[in-house]
């Protein structure tokens, strides 16, 4: 028998007995779940009614009891399918957005850390100075401030700073943070030049983020076109049903239902393939 893969937790307990985030997953808040679920279900139900509404009419084209029953069943069914498909996509998008913000915050942390080290402060004093600097720059609930608090609390409890940074790197699921954590650990233990390591990491991270922004800017037009191509068929069907009910009746025939279903499946596949192609990462 195959074992069910365990769901990765959204939080861990650190060595300092503080709750720390697992950035590999994103857990929606209650209000996020409620708002996105209502929105996605509503859009799915509306699309289901648009494409499949009005089935089982009588010979004169008037709705029957079965028509109303099918309308409800179809709307609920398509709405649930939309939830199944869209919520994971939205959750992943929110996770990536959080990681992007963490990466930006980490870059600012390195900038402040490099400045402190270059002024002659030791590593511990530099991290304390960084925490004070970033408190001015970010809100109190910023992820980087929480991570700095964990690092500082850990050092006060005699936990090696390199271990704390390594743990942060692993949980971040951000390649640049993980790489920095590994290099910091080796350099700190073997007495390497931390100033050069931090300055070089900050420089490389800046260059990578600038290149990523340039790529996203160039791909933005294609991304917009993809979204338009997905939405256009919905508007076309809506216009046909509003302006030409006689022609729209063809959608309710067996051939029309089959053709509509195939088209919807192809558009959904095209969306996910296009999203994958446009998801360029360095």
């Amino acid at each position: 028998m195959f074992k069910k893969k365990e769901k990765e937790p959204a939080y861990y307990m650190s060595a300092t007995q503080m709750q720390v985030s697992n950035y590999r997953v994103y857990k929606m808040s209650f209000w996020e779940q409620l708002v996105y679920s209502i929105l996605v279900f509503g859009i799915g139900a509306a699309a289901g009614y648009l494409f499949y509404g009005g089935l089982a009419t009588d010979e004169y084209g008037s709705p029957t009891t079965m028509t109303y029953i099918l309308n409800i069943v179809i709307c609920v069914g398509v709405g649930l399918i939309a939830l199944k498909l869209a919520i994971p996509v939205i959750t992943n998008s929110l996770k990536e957005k959080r990681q992007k913000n963490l990466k930006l915050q980490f870059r600012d942390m390195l900038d402040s850390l490099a400045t402190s080290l270059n002024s002659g402060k030791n590593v511990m004093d530099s991290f304390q100075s960084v925490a004070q600097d970033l408190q001015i720059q970010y809100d109190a609930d910023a992820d980087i401030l929480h991570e700095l608090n964990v690092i500082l609390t850990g050092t006060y409890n005699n936990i090696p700073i390199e271990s704390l940074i390594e743990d942060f790197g692993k949980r971040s699921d951000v390649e640049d943070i993980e790489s920095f954590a590994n290099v910091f650990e080796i350099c700190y233990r073997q007495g390497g030049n931390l100033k050069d390591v931090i300055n070089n990491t900050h420089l490389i991270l800046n260059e990578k983020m600038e290149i990523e922004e340039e790529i996203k800017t160039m791909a933005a037009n294609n991304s917009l076109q993809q979204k338009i191509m997905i939405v256009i068929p919905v508007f076309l069907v809506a216009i046909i049903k509003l302006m030409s009910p006689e022609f729209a009746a063809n959608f309710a025939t067996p051939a029309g239902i089959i053709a509509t279903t195939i088209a919807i499946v192809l558009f959904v596949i095209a969306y996910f393939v296009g999203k994958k192609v446009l998801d360029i990462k360095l």
Side-chain angles (χ1 to χ4, degrees):
M1 294 293 292
F2 292 102
K3 291 184 178 179
K4 186 178 180 180
K5 187 178 179 181
E6 293 185 4
K7 190 176 181 180
E8 202 167 350
Y11 300 98
Y12 292 112
M13 289 300 293
S14 70
T16 58
Q17 297 305 307
M18 297 174 66
Q19 183 173 270
V20 291
S21 298
N22 178 15
Y23 300 96
R24 297 177 183 273
V25 298
Y26 185 88
K27 184 178 180 181
M28 287 190 187
S29 67
F30 170 78
W31 290 110
E32 283 179 324
Q33 290 180 352
L34 182 63
V35 170
Y36 283 119
S37 295
I38 292 174
L39 183 63
V40 170
F41 183 85
I43 292 173
Y49 181 78
L50 177 64
F51 287 104
Y52 297 106
L55 300 180
T57 56
D58 61 21
E59 57 185 322
Y60 302 107
S62 300
T64 63
T65 302
M66 182 57 66
T67 303
Y68 296 117
I69 293 173
L70 285 175
N71 284 346
I72 295 172
V73 171
I74 288 169
C75 288
V76 172
V78 176
L80 292 175
I81 292 172
L83 282 175
K84 184 71 174 178
L85 292 175
I87 292 300
V89 174
I90 294 172
T91 303
N92 188 62
S93 177
L94 292 172
K95 183 196 78 170
E96 290 179 350
K97 182 180 179 181
R98 186 186 188 188
Q99 288 179 328
K100 181 181 178 181
N101 289 334
L102 180 65
K103 194 174 179 179
L104 288 168
Q105 294 168 8
F106 178 73
R107 181 187 64 178
D108 292 336
M109 186 199 83
L110 288 182
D111 187 20
S112 179
L113 188 60
T115 301
S116 295
L117 287 172
N118 289 332
S119 68
K121 293 181 180 179
N122 59 34
V123 174
M124 291 307 308
D125 289 340
S126 294
F127 270 97
Q128 291 174 357
S129 177
V130 169
Q132 293 171 358
D133 291 342
L134 295 188
Q135 282 175 359
I136 300 172
Q137 188 171 349
Y138 291 107
D139 294 333
D141 60 348
D143 289 321
I144 195 66
L145 290 179
H146 182 67
E147 296 299 335
L148 283 169
N149 186 34
V150 172
I151 291 171
L152 292 174
T153 302
T155 57
Y156 297 152
N157 289 277
N158 298 320
I159 300 173
I161 189 171
E162 63 271 23
S163 299
L164 295 164
I165 295 176
E166 181 185 16
D167 175 64
F168 171 40
K170 289 178 180 178
R171 290 184 289 102
S172 71
D173 197 29
V174 177
E175 183 181 355
D176 294 301
I177 300 179
E178 291 184 69
S179 298
F180 171 77
N182 293 332
V183 174
F184 183 91
E185 180 183 14
I186 295 171
C187 193
Y188 191 77
R189 286 183 177 179
Q190 298 184 3
N193 193 329
L194 275 176
K195 293 181 184 178
D196 289 342
V197 169
I198 293 171
N199 283 325
N200 290 336
T201 303
H202 181 256
L203 179 63
I204 293 170
L205 187 58
N206 259 335
E207 290 177 349
K208 285 184 67 176
M209 293 179 75
E210 287 175 2
I211 293 171
E212 284 178 352
E213 286 302 319
E214 288 178 4
I215 293 173
K216 287 181 180 179
T217 300
M218 290 186 290
N221 189 42
N222 292 330
S223 179
L224 179 61
Q225 290 176 359
Q226 179 205 17
K227 291 181 175 65
I228 291 173
M229 291 300 293
I230 293 295
V231 173
I232 281 178
V234 178
F235 281 106
L236 287 176
V237 172
I239 291 171
I240 290 171
K241 288 198 169 186
L242 286 172
M243 299 186 67
S244 181
E246 296 81 8
F247 181 80
N250 293 318
F251 288 103
T253 64
I257 294 171
I258 293 171
T260 298
T261 303
I262 292 173
I264 291 173
V265 170
L266 289 176
F267 273 108
V268 171
I269 293 173
Y271 170 79
F272 283 104
V273 172
K275 192 174 185 301
K276 188 71 175 178
V277 170
L278 293 172
D279 186 21
I280 303 170
K281 294 181 180 179
L282 295 180

